[in-house]
């Protein structure tokens, strides 16, 4: 249920504004038999999604992250000095070879962050607090900690097994190490198909649908107008290729992230006297400790553990390979550097942004107001900063985050299309992607939400299989691979 939190938000808004507090009615132009068939199909898709995203896949994701962390001596815990010095500290030293088909290092970082950081970091955290309580935040941190090593290994393998087609089309990401590393093109093809489906689902229509709901409820903008604007703006960016994407995402995503994080920090500072109590609630809730009697509640522990781990996985997408897909479109071919950048992305997405949201909600006391509508909780949280304009400001800000996610996921889908069809078909994919975003603003997307869940889950299976079987190639060495060796590896792997 990777989009569960956004679905809860949109569903609550839909019911509130269209059907009041009563149950949803069968449309007049739909027969009861057809309605039952449709609902039966939805239930079947839900069961498939629940089976795929069950405890087994979650345990595989987190277990793989823990095993790789052990093999790499928990580098994400003690290696921050090297991580920061090689990433942000090395931006000035990095010589860009940007062209029409590549992104600079910072543009790649911004696009990967956009694909992961979005509406789930805002309303998704509020929904997680409602479902799992404050203790869910602790397990979200655990999930992010393990996910940092997962995404590091994805990017290292993606760079080390990167190759080119005969026509010169560069291939990277999970497709590269599934094809070249495992020698299994069938898995690479399956992964590409799942990725394209996810890019049109979770990365496209569900995002534009969220934007339409937000703008209609906060600003009274009709969904049709939102759809036209999204299609035109997205087309103006994506159809210009990597140069258009990079030029927009390198300033829009950092600006949005900075505005939101500073706003959340301002809320926390205004309510800093409640921080000790909030921290106590988080750690007590994480282990199911009852504040009143000091006992342990198994139900509370299960809710906090399950919700926190799931939201951590869904928020940063570690293990799905999306980060490696975006980094494959960059101009750098340094395996370790791309791995380090991906670790900072997970840290910023979950350990920083989600944590700020959670602390802002908890310190303001907004989590006690109305848990059934996460959007209302967020609006109330930031009321001390934006006053009466809080619902409008947060709706616009969240909609812009969703727009950035559209751009980031298009970069993911492009890599899959390039692997299957070559770069000549990218313009067709971009046009379809823009049109699908417009369509998503006006359609009911219950089935699309669930299908995108399934596609995201299926992306993880071949990706984790490749990482586990090739883990020896992503274990950190004392001496980094030289630039000449990286060039030899890159030239050798030709698809």
């Amino acid at each position: 249920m990777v989009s569960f939190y956004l679905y809860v938000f949109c569903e609550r808004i839909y019911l509130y504004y269209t059907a009041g507090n009563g149950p949803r009615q069968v449309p007049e132009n739909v027969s009861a038999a057809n309605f039952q068939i449709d609902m039966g199909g939805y239930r079947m898709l839900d069961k498939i999604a629940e089976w795929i995203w069950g405890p087994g896949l979650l345990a595989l994701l987190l277990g793989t992250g823990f095993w790789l962390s052990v093999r790499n001596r928990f580098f994400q815990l003690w290696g921050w000095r090297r991580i920061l010095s090689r990433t942000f500290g090395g931006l000035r030293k990095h010589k860009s070879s940007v062209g029409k088909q590549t992104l600079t290092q910072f543009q790649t970082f911004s696009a990967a962050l956009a694909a992961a950081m979005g509406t789930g970091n805002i309303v998704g955290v509020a929904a997680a607090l409602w479902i799992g309580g404050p203790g869910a935040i602790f397990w979200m941190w655990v999930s992010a900690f393990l996910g940092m090593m997962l995404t590091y290994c994805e990017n290292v393998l993606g760079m080390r097994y990167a190759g080119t087609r005969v026509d010169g089309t560069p291939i990277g990401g999970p497709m590269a190490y599934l094809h070249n590393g495992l020698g299994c093109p069938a898995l690479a093809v399956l992964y590409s198909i799942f990725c394209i489906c996810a890019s049109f689902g979770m990365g496209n229509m569900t995002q534009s649908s969220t934007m339409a709901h937000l703008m209609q409820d906060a600003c009274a903008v009709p969904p049709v107008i939102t759809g036209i604007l999204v299609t035109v703006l997205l087309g103006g960016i994506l159809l210009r290729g990597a140069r258009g994407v990079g030029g927009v995402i390198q300033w829009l995503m950092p600006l949005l992230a900075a505005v939101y994080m500073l706003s959340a920090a301002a809320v926390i500072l205004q309510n800093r006297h409640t921080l000790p109590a909030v921290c106590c609630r988080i750690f007590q809730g994480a282990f199911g400790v009852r504040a009143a009697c000091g006992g342990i509640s198994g139900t509370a522990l299960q809710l906090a553990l399950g919700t926190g781990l799931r939201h951590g996985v869904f928020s940063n997408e570690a293990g799905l390979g999306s980060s490696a897909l975006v980094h494959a479109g960059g101009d750098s071919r340094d395996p370790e550097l791309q791995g380090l950048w991906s670790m900072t992305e997970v840290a910023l997405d979950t350990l920083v942004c989600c944590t700020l949201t959670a602390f802002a909600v908890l310190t303001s006391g907004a989590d006690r107001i109305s848990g059934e509508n996460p959007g209302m909780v967020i609006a109330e949280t930031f009321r001390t900063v934006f006053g009466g304009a809080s619902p409008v400001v947060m709706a616009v800000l969240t909609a812009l985050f969703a727009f950035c996610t559209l751009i980031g996921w298009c970069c993911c889908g492009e890599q899959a299309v390039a692997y299957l069809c070559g770069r000549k078909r990218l313009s067709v994919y971009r046009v379809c992607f823009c049109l699908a975003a417009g369509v998503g603003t006006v359609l009911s997307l219950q089935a699309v939400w669930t299908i995108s869940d399934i596609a995201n889950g299926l992306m993880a299976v071949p990706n984790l299989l490749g990482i586990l079987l090739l883990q020896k190639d992503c274990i950190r060495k004392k001496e980094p691979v030289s630039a000449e060796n990286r060039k030899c590896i890159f030239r050798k792997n030709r698809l």
Side-chain angles (χ1 to χ4, degrees):
M1 300 186 303
V2 74
S3 54
F4 170 74
Y5 304 105
L6 296 181
Y7 177 77
V8 168
F9 174 53
C10 294
E11 186 72 5
R12 292 291 176 181
I13 291 178
Y14 175 78
L15 290 174
Y16 179 80
Y17 283 96
T18 61
N21 295 323
R24 191 188 310 182
Q25 302 297 321
V26 180
E28 295 180 358
N29 59 340
V30 179
S31 67
N34 289 337
F35 184 77
Q36 289 175 1
I37 292 173
D38 291 340
M39 293 307 295
Y42 290 148
R43 283 195 293 268
M44 182 183 69
L45 288 174
D46 285 336
K47 288 181 179 179
I48 295 174
E50 289 176 3
W51 179 78
I52 291 175
W53 280 103
L57 181 57
L58 191 63
L60 181 61
L61 282 163
L62 299 174
T64 303
F66 178 77
W67 173 246
L68 294 173
S69 298
V70 172
R71 294 291 307 274
N72 284 287
R73 302 179 299 281
F74 291 95
F75 174 74
Q76 70 268 45
L77 184 63
W78 55 265
W80 276 105
R81 183 174 181 179
R82 178 169 180 79
I83 293 172
L84 294 177
S85 65
R86 287 222 61 195
T87 53
F88 294 106
L91 281 177
R92 293 184 179 181
K93 301 176 183 179
H94 178 71
K95 294 182 180 180
S96 174
S97 58
V98 64
K100 293 183 179 180
Q101 297 182 351
T102 58
L103 300 173
T104 65
Q105 183 63 77
F106 187 72
Q107 289 171 351
T108 303
F109 162 73
S110 300
L113 194 61
M117 183 184 291
T119 48
N121 294 70
I122 305 175
V123 294
V125 173
L129 289 171
W130 168 45
I131 298 170
I137 304 305
F138 175 84
W139 297 109
M140 183 181 69
W141 295 336
V142 174
S143 176
F145 177 76
L146 300 177
M148 288 174 65
M149 187 52 64
L150 259 180
T151 192
Y152 170 84
C153 294
E154 290 173 354
N155 280 273
V156 169
L157 290 175
M159 288 292 109
R160 288 189 172 175
Y161 287 102
T164 56
R165 290 188 180 276
V166 178
D167 61 358
T169 301
I171 303 297
M175 293 85 68
Y177 54 81
L178 291 174
H179 188 122
N180 288 332
L182 290 184
C184 186
L187 276 180
V189 170
L190 282 176
Y191 180 88
S192 300
I193 294 173
F194 298 147
C195 177
I196 293 172
C197 293
S199 72
F200 279 103
M202 182 58 189
N204 186 311
M205 299 179 74
T206 54
Q207 301 296 327
S208 61
S209 176
T210 301
M211 294 174 66
H213 280 290
L214 290 168
M215 299 311 297
Q216 183 179 25
D217 298 329
C219 307
V221 178
V224 175
I225 301 299
T226 302
I228 294 173
L229 289 175
V230 169
T231 303
V232 172
L233 291 175
L234 199 61
I237 296 171
L238 298 182
L239 296 181
R240 293 175 58 201
R243 184 171 296 179
V245 171
V248 173
I249 204 69
Q250 70 178 347
W251 65 265
L252 180 58
M253 189 62 212
L255 179 62
L256 284 176
V259 169
Y260 177 74
M261 291 180 184
L262 289 174
S263 301
V267 173
I268 296 171
L269 287 175
Q270 289 179 352
N271 301 282
R272 58 186 178 274
H273 60 281
T274 63
L275 278 174
V278 166
C279 293
C280 185
R281 290 177 62 194
I282 289 175
F283 287 102
Q284 284 182 342
F287 301 99
V289 178
R290 296 178 182 271
C293 59
I296 296 178
S297 169
T299 303
L301 175 60
Q302 183 179 4
L303 281 174
L305 178 65
T307 305
L309 292 178
R310 279 184 173 84
H311 184 72
V313 171
F314 299 159
S315 174
N316 53 59
E317 299 176 357
L320 303 186
S322 57
S323 175
L325 288 168
V326 178
H327 283 270
D331 64 349
S332 173
R333 288 294 176 264
D334 186 333
E336 186 199 36
L337 180 61
Q338 302 312 304
L340 297 180
W341 271 110
S342 67
M343 295 177 81
T344 62
E345 292 155 12
V346 173
L348 285 173
D349 175 88
T350 307
L351 296 180
V352 177
C353 188
C354 288
T355 300
L356 285 173
T357 301
F359 272 85
V361 171
L362 293 172
T363 55
S364 67
D367 62 309
R368 305 178 188 272
I369 297 173
S370 176
E372 292 188 356
N373 191 334
M376 188 181 297
V377 173
I378 293 298
E380 187 63 31
T381 298
F382 290 89
R383 193 172 295 277
T384 56
V385 176
F386 299 115
S390 177
V392 175
V393 172
M394 294 311 300
V396 173
L397 194 62
T398 307
L400 289 174
F401 269 115
F403 186 78
C404 288
T405 302
L406 283 167
I407 299 175
W409 262 98
C410 183
C411 295
C412 296
E414 285 183 2
Q415 293 298 319
V417 172
Y419 176 80
L420 291 176
C421 310
R423 298 196 69 87
K424 293 182 179 180
R425 299 292 187 272
L426 289 183
S427 57
V428 177
Y429 170 77
R430 290 166 183 159
V431 171
C432 294
F433 192 88
C434 296
L435 294 176
V439 171
T441 61
V442 295
L443 291 183
S444 176
L445 299 177
Q446 182 174 352
V448 176
W449 288 97
T450 309
I451 293 172
S452 64
D453 288 344
I454 295 171
N456 273 296
L458 292 176
M459 284 174 63
V461 177
N463 185 53
L464 292 174
L465 179 63
I467 293 174
L468 285 171
L469 294 178
L470 298 171
Q471 58 181 285
K472 59 181 176 57
D473 294 325
C474 56
I475 303 304
R476 290 184 52 80
K477 307 292 193 300
K478 291 184 178 180
E479 294 296 331
V481 180
S482 66
E484 185 60 31
N485 287 338
R486 285 195 299 272
K487 292 179 181 178
C488 292
I489 292 173
F490 182 73
R491 291 169 183 165
K492 181 180 178 181
N493 296 324
R494 293 186 175 270
L495 302 181

